[in-house]
Amino acid sequence: MGDVYSELIGQERAVETLRRAVDGRRHAMTHAWLFVGPPGSGRSNAAKAFAAALQCPDGGCGECNECRTTLSGAHPDVTLLRTEQLSIGVDEVRALVGRANVAPVKGRYQIVVIEDADRITERGADALLKGLEEPAPRTVWLLCAPSPDDVIITVRSRSRVIRLVTPSDQAVATLLEQRDGVAPALAAHSARAAQGHVGRARMLARNEDARIRRREILSLPGRLTSVTACLDAAHNLVESSAQEAAQATAELDAKEMATLQEALGLGGRGAKPRNAQAAIRDLEDQQKARAKRLQRDALDRVLTELTGYFRDVLAAQTAPGVALVNSDLADEIEPIARRSSPEQTVHALDAILQARTALEGNVAPLLALEALLISLSLAGRT
Ligand SMILES: [Zn+2]
C-alpha cells in the first residue's frame, strides 16, 4: 500500500503539482481545478486522490479515516457527482453550488467533485460559474473532462488545469501484476490491447468474457463480405450492447425501485396515489437514460477496438515492423493490409470517427452502426 497517489501511474507531473498545492506552497493552491486527459487516464481517480490529500492531516497518507472515507465516497465534506445521465442540468448544479457554500463540518475543506463536467448544460454552466466566482473560503471545486475545450471558456478560465497523460503499456502492465496479481504475459497483453486505458486493461486481464467480446469485435472487419452481413452485424452489436447495459443495471434498477416504493409507503397492493405514480415514472425515466448511456459506452468501446485494429492495418501498410496494438492478431491483419491501400484504411478510420460523432449527437445507434459497417466493408475491397 502506498499513499493516495500510488495508483496514478505515469502521472508524475500532475501529482507533483497536486502535492505542492496540498503542502500549501505559495500560490500553489486554488479553489477550482480542471482534471483533463484521455479516457482511462484516471481523471476522476486523480480528483478523488487530491480530495483525500486535501482532507488528510498528513497530505494523503491513504490510510487514515479522512483518506479512506474520501476515497470510498463517504466523507461528509466531499460531494461526488458521478452522473449516469447524458447531461447535468441546472437544478443539479444549483444544488451543488448550495452544497459548496456550506462550511466543512469535519474536514479541512468543503470539496465538490464533478466527474463529467463536459456534460453540464449551458444553463448549468452559468449556475456553476456563480459558484466559481464567489467561492466560500474553504470550498474547492474539482471538475473532470476529456479536454479543456469540453467545458465552456468562462469555467475553464477560472480553473487550474491538471493534465493527465496516457500511461505507457509497461506502466499499466506493472500495475496489473503488482496490484491485481495478474500473470506477466496476460498483464502485458491486456495493457497493450487496452491502449493505455487502465480500467479497460484490468477488465481484459480479469474477465474472460471481455476477452471473448474483444476477439469477436476484432474479427468483424474480415466478416463484412456483403451488405446483408453488414446489416446483421450492426444489429447484433446494438443488441449485445443493449444486453450488456441491461445486465449491468438490472440489479441496481430493482433495488432503487424497491427503496423508492418503501419510501412512498407502497406495499405493492392497492391503488397508488398520483404523486407516487409521478415519482415512480421519474425514476423509470432516469433508469432508462442510464441504460441508454451504458449502451452508448459499450458501443464506444467497440469503436475504440476497431480504431486500434485499423491503426494496426495502417501501420502494417506504411511502417512494416512497427509493433501492433493487437499483436495477437498479426496473422489476420497482415493479409488485410496487403489487400487494401493506405487510402482505404484512412477512409475506414474516418468512418469510425464519423460513427462516434453520430453516436455522441444522439443518432440512433443502429443507423450509425449500419453506416459504419457498410463503409468498412467498402474500405476493405480492392
Ligand atoms: Zn490520510
Side-chain angles (χ1 to χ4, degrees):
M1 285 311 291
D3 64 13
V4 288
Y5 302 114
S6 64
E7 292 192 3
L8 298 179
I9 49 171
Q11 313 296 352
E12 287 77 12
R13 281 191 57 184
V15 169
E16 182 55 34
T17 306
L18 299 177
R19 279 190 202 282
R20 273 203 303 272
V22 173
D23 286 350
R25 305 265 183 94
R26 233 163 99 80
H27 306 306
M29 187 56 194
T30 184
H31 71 286
W33 298 76
L34 177 59
F35 290 79
V36 300
S41 57
R43 299 184 291 255
S44 61
N45 286 340
K48 277 184 275 186
F50 184 41
L54 286 171
Q55 302 290 28
C56 171
D58 293 320
C61 66
E63 279 157 22
C64 72
N65 194 43
E66 304 289 321
C67 282
R68 279 185 294 117
T69 51
T70 300
L71 295 175
S72 71
H75 197 291
D77 298 317
V78 180
T79 305
L80 174 67
L81 180 72
R82 33 178 329 192
T83 184
E84 305 290 354
Q85 311 290 331
L86 295 168
S87 65
I88 302 171
V90 63
D91 292 343
E92 252 170 310
V93 175
R94 281 205 189 114
L96 289 175
V97 172
R99 176 89 208 125
N101 285 324
V102 175
V105 294
K106 190 165 162 283
R108 305 161 67 209
Y109 294 93
Q110 182 67 257
I111 302 177
V112 179
V113 183
I114 304 183
E115 281 199 354
D116 300 290
D118 51 311
R119 294 202 172 121
I120 298 175
T121 61
E122 218 166 293
R123 286 184 62 215
D126 286 342
L128 174 61
L129 205 54
K130 291 219 176 67
L132 297 183
E133 278 170 343
E134 302 150 18
R138 306 303 291 170
T139 298
V140 183
W141 289 89
L142 307 180
L143 313 174
C144 309
S147 81
D149 296 336
D150 291 314
V151 298
I152 63 166
I153 186 157
T154 41
V155 168
R156 182 166 81 229
S157 65
R158 282 169 178 79
S159 314
R160 190 163 302 164
V161 175
I162 291 288
R163 284 175 201 280
L164 302 174
V165 295
T166 300
S168 70
D169 295 348
Q170 185 52 54
V172 175
T174 306
L175 181 74
L176 292 178
E177 283 179 46
Q178 290 178 353
R179 186 190 54 191
D180 302 314
V182 176
L186 181 58
H189 167 75
S190 306
R192 191 155 190 78
Q195 301 166 54
H197 191 305
V198 179
R200 176 91 184 125
R202 187 200 247 169
M203 175 81 140
L204 285 172
R206 298 170 68 182
N207 185 326
E208 197 181 356
D209 283 348
R211 294 200 287 275
I212 292 171
R213 265 204 299 277
R214 171 176 170 269
R215 284 299 307 227
E216 273 170 14
I217 293 163
L218 294 173
S219 72
L220 260 180
R223 289 188 279 128
L224 302 173
T225 51
S226 68
V227 172
T228 319
C230 293
L231 299 183
D232 282 351
H235 177 80
N236 290 341
L237 281 177
V238 172
E239 281 292 297
S240 64
S241 63
Q243 272 171 23
E244 208 182 310
Q247 272 170 17
T249 55
E251 203 177 320
L252 186 58
D253 285 357
K255 212 164 105 191
E256 286 171 348
M257 189 54 80
T259 311
L260 177 64
Q261 291 190 332
E262 204 182 296
L264 294 169
L266 300 176
R269 279 163 161 271
K272 296 179 170 75
R274 189 167 296 171
N275 65 339
Q277 283 177 9
I280 286 173
R281 250 200 319 277
D282 233 33
L283 178 62
E284 282 170 350
D285 285 349
Q286 281 176 33
Q287 292 180 336
K288 264 186 219 141
R290 175 169 62 201
K292 197 169 144 194
R293 180 177 154 203
L294 286 176
Q295 181 185 15
R296 278 168 200 269
D297 288 350
L299 289 173
D300 197 67
R301 281 197 295 280
V302 171
L303 300 185
T304 303
E305 295 288 8
L306 290 174
T307 304
Y309 179 93
F310 282 101
R311 250 190 227 144
D312 281 350
V313 174
L314 193 61
Q317 286 168 332
T318 58
V322 163
L324 302 180
V325 170
N326 304 288
S327 48
D328 50 328
L329 299 181
D331 292 348
E332 291 163 46
I333 285 165
E334 309 263 310
I336 290 200
R338 277 198 301 276
R339 274 210 310 277
S340 58
S341 67
E343 288 75 19
Q344 284 172 313
T345 312
V346 170
H347 179 73
L349 286 164
D350 264 354
I352 299 170
L353 201 61
Q354 275 175 31
R356 180 162 273 151
T357 311
L359 284 175
E360 279 166 6
N362 269 335
V363 168
L366 186 59
L367 285 182
L369 269 286
E370 283 176 355
L372 169 64
L373 296 186
I374 288 171
S375 295
L376 294 186
S377 82
L378 296 175
R381 278 186 209 154
T382 44

